[in-house]
Amino acid sequence: MFAKKDILDIGSLDPAEISMILDTAEGMKEINERPVKKVPTLRGKTIVLFFQEPSTRTKLSFDTAAKRLSADSLSISQSTSSIVKGETLIDTAKNLEAMKPDVIVLRHPSSGAPHLIAKHVKASVINAGDGIHAHPSQALLDMMSVREKKGKIKGLKISIIGDISHSRVARSDITGFSKMGAKVRICAPQTMIPMGIEKLGCTIAPTMEACIEDADVVMMLRIQKERQGNILFPTEREYATLFGLNTHRLKLAKKDVLVMHPGPMNRGVEIASDVADSEYSIILEQVTNGVALRMALFYLLAGGNRHADAD
Ligand code: CP
């Protein structure tokens, strides 16, 4: 039994719960390969997707996941909700709750917003990314993708490079991979490394080369200009020279290295196009796994009985 009501961050999941989610997601993958990609598992369940920030991958994969399990998914956004008329987040959540949804998926620019609404609603809440704090479903699909390719997570050397300061993906991935026994190294310009980040379970490499050396996985992160108050590096060209992943640098990693990126990518800045499209890249497989992973979250939270109901 999966005992959690909400998925708010990776820190509140223990390794057994993470493994249960990844195992369930692996089982869901087969549904996505069928000619008719739909099972009746969550028929009659209602899922609200409330995205107050732009999204391509996360929103569409949650929506696809709901539909593949036959749940009814409904979407609202910041600009089309009554938040623009002054309604508070808690009042909005209470009004959504009054319509009896089973799960609310929230993306919000403020760290902690999903935790806040989870206290006010009976529905399960899934954090689809809150400010710079957490993006648990992304970290779970990243762990699923690595485990699928390498057969394990424990003992792997995972290098995460880029705008760590403003990245909720970095925080969730560092926490998740280190919980599952990986050795996580990070690298970024000094201005993009938050104080105390090592407490999440990583070490800071002095150079990009030191970070990549002998890595099993190299995960690149976008510079989150939308969250940076001040310019934290001189130019994109200098950033690409010092912290961009190119084929030359990738040679320092293990021969069977996996290149990952949560997307959206800025080609030519944090990652060269030929690396993003190379045989080492599993960037689009991450997106494929994102659907199965989110199906697993809905299944575990909304209490569907996949084996009894599946066609
Ligand atoms: N990885 C991710 O969160 O992408 P989107 O912003 O497109 O959802």
Side-chain angles (χ1 to χ4, degrees):
M1 289 294 290
F2 189 72
K4 291 275 186 301
K5 168 185 168 281
D6 309 298
I7 302 287
L8 299 175
D9 49 46
I10 295 292
S12 55
L13 298 172
D14 62 34
E17 288 168 327
I18 292 173
S19 293
M20 183 189 283
I21 294 169
L22 303 192
D23 291 346
T24 309
E26 252 178 50
M28 292 290 175
K29 274 196 87 163
E30 177 270 327
I31 297 168
N32 296 325
E33 304 298 330
R34 295 181 190 180
V36 178
K37 304 175 186 63
K38 203 172 183 77
V39 292
T41 310
L42 295 187
R43 197 170 44 203
K45 304 287 182 183
T46 305
I47 291 167
V48 175
L49 307 175
F50 190 9
F51 276 63
Q52 296 197 42
E53 275 188 344
S55 170
T56 299
R57 282 147 289 269
T58 312
K59 187 173 180 191
L60 274 184
S61 60
F62 270 119
D63 202 6
T64 304
K67 289 179 166 67
R68 298 236 164 119
L69 294 175
S70 299
D72 296 311
S73 64
L74 315 168
S75 280
I76 55 168
S77 65
Q78 164 94 355
S79 59
T80 59
S81 76
S82 286
I83 283 185
V84 293
K85 301 175 200 162
E87 192 166 43
T88 67
L89 177 64
I90 292 174
D91 280 335
T92 304
K94 284 181 175 169
N95 279 271
L96 294 180
E97 173 80 349
M99 297 178 217
K100 312 286 183 205
D102 297 283
V103 184
I104 298 173
V105 180
L106 178 67
R107 171 169 285 193
H108 199 280
S110 300
S111 299
H115 300 65
L116 183 66
I117 73 158
K119 289 184 190 148
H120 291 271
V121 297
K122 289 198 184 79
S124 292
V125 176
I126 301 179
N127 179 2
D130 63 326
I132 62 167
H133 173 233
H135 195 346
S137 64
Q138 178 70 45
L140 289 163
L141 76 86
D142 290 341
M143 286 186 266
M144 176 187 177
S145 303
V146 169
R147 199 180 75 159
E148 185 179 62
K149 290 285 177 193
K150 298 286 184 188
K152 63 175 187 176
I153 295 176
K154 192 170 181 181
L156 294 180
K157 291 180 182 160
I158 313 272
S159 304
I160 303 178
I161 299 158
D163 185 358
I164 308 286
S165 274
H166 300 93
S167 175
R168 53 199 177 203
V169 175
R171 286 173 177 77
S172 290
D173 270 324
I174 293 167
T175 307
F177 278 111
S178 67
K179 264 189 192 215
M180 300 307 279
K183 296 181 180 112
V184 184
R185 295 179 293 202
I186 62 165
C187 184
Q190 284 296 326
T191 49
M192 294 185 197
I193 296 182
M195 291 279 285
I197 190 77
E198 303 97 314
K199 287 184 196 144
L200 294 182
C202 62
T203 56
I204 302 171
T207 62
M208 190 162 173
E209 284 72 17
C211 193
I212 293 177
E213 194 175 0
D214 207 29
D216 295 286
V217 175
V218 178
M219 184 183 301
M220 301 306 297
L221 301 173
R222 181 177 66 90
I223 298 163
Q224 308 226 352
K225 284 187 198 155
E226 72 276 23
R227 298 189 205 285
Q228 293 185 2
N230 301 309
I231 302 299
L232 297 178
F233 57 94
T235 64
E236 282 190 358
R237 180 182 288 198
E238 184 180 303
Y239 183 87
T241 304
L242 292 174
F243 295 97
L245 183 62
N246 53 35
T247 46
H248 179 67
R249 286 195 168 122
L250 194 59
K251 287 194 178 113
L252 296 167
K254 290 219 173 93
K255 283 191 170 29
D256 59 350
V257 66
L258 303 177
V259 172
M260 300 177 71
H261 195 305
M265 283 187 283
N266 288 149
R267 288 172 182 262
V269 183
E270 74 272 12
I271 188 164
S273 253
D274 56 351
V275 175
D277 300 330
S278 71
E279 64 193 286
Y280 305 104
S281 169
I282 60 162
I283 293 168
L284 293 178
E285 288 171 73
Q286 290 173 260
V287 179
T288 301
N289 283 339
V291 176
L293 187 282
R294 286 157 181 140
M295 288 165 77
L297 295 183
F298 288 148
Y299 172 71
L300 292 169
L301 293 177
N305 186 338
R306 187 163 64 94
H307 300 294
D309 294 346
D311 283 334

